[in-house]
Amino acid sequence: MAILIPHASLRVAPWKNGGGSTTEIAVSPKGAGFDDFDWRISLATITASGPFSSFPGIDRSLMLVDGESVSLTLDGARKVVLNAGQPMLWFPGEAAVSAEVAGATTDFNVMTRRSRCRHQLEKITAPGRLARRSDKTLLFVAGEGYVLVRAGQQQFNLSRYDALLLDAGDAQQWQLEAAQDVAIFRVDLFI
C-alpha cells in the first residue's frame, strides 16, 4: 500500500559530532536503528566540515539537494565534488569519508545493507510516467513545485521534500503530473 510521507511530519536529529543533522524519511524494518536496518533513506544537512560515520557492510548513495557543493575525500585519496553538474555519488559505507563545506548543504542519503538488499538511485523529472521495476520504490520531490502522482483511483499530492513509498502491491504504472518541470529522486529497493 502506498504511503505518503509529508516532510512536515519528519523529525530532525542532530549528529553526535555537531557537524550537521539527519532527517529520517523511511527505514526498514520500521523502528530499526543504525545497527539493524535493511535499508534507510534520509536527508542529511552538513553544516561543518568533518568525517562521516562508518557503516561497514552498507552501500551508500548521496545526491545533493540544496547548497552549492560539498567536497568529499574517500579513503584519503579519491576526491569528489558534489554540485549541480555532478550531484550523485555511490560509495561503500566502510570507506573513510571526510566532507568539506563552504556553506550548509542538504544531501539525500540512501543506505542498504549489502547482505539483505540493494538499491538504485536516479534523478527523474515530472511531468512524466513512472514504470515500477522493484518491490519498493520511493519518490522524493527534490525540486520546487507540486507533483500529483496517480494510478487508477489512487492519487497523492506532493510538494518539496515530500516522499511517496510504493510497495509490491501498488500499481506498476504511475503518472507524474506537474505544471512545471520538477526534480524527483527515485529510489528502487531490491529486496
Side-chain angles (χ1 to χ4, degrees):
M1 181 173 91
I3 300 171
L4 177 64
I5 307 168
H7 180 253
S9 71
L10 302 177
R11 191 179 53 107
V12 179
W15 291 353
K16 288 181 183 178
N17 69 6
S21 62
T22 185
T23 303
E24 186 174 273
I25 297 169
V27 66
S28 180
K30 188 174 178 142
F34 287 117
D35 294 328
D36 59 351
F37 67 82
D38 291 343
W39 57 264
R40 182 178 191 271
I41 301 171
S42 63
L43 285 175
T45 299
I46 305 172
T47 57
S49 299
F52 279 22
S53 297
S54 177
F55 286 96
I58 303 295
D59 289 327
R60 297 185 69 176
S61 293
L62 284 182
M63 190 166 299
L64 187 66
V65 179
D66 266 331
E68 198 159 310
S69 68
V70 58
S71 178
L72 301 170
T73 303
L74 287 85
D75 291 329
R78 181 176 165 217
K79 200 165 211 165
V80 177
V81 177
L82 292 183
N83 56 32
Q86 163 105 23
M88 189 173 80
L89 173 68
W90 177 93
F91 60 96
E94 53 272 4
V97 180
S98 182
E100 284 183 44
V101 293
T105 65
T106 300
D107 307 295
F108 185 77
N109 181 37
V110 181
M111 298 191 289
T112 50
R113 191 164 306 280
R114 215 172 281 135
S115 62
R116 297 186 197 151
C117 59
R118 62 184 179 84
H119 71 274
Q120 182 176 336
L121 170 62
E122 69 179 299
K123 182 179 176 181
I124 62 174
T125 304
R129 296 180 63 80
L130 172 77
R132 302 270 315 283
R133 58 184 177 219
S134 61
D135 287 340
K136 291 208 179 281
T137 303
L138 184 125
L139 301 176
F140 173 80
V141 179
E144 295 288 344
Y146 297 92
V147 178
L148 175 67
V149 181
R150 65 179 180 84
Q153 298 299 314
Q154 286 189 300
Q155 64 178 30
F156 301 90
N157 288 302
L158 285 76
S159 59
R160 189 156 201 231
Y161 288 5
D162 288 345
L164 181 64
L165 182 61
L166 305 172
D167 68 21
D170 289 311
Q172 292 299 305
Q173 301 288 328
W174 292 80
Q175 191 67 34
L176 309 176
E177 299 176 5
Q180 65 194 37
D181 285 353
V182 179
I184 297 173
F185 296 165
R186 170 188 181 152
V187 181
D188 287 299
L189 296 158
F190 302 94
I191 301 165

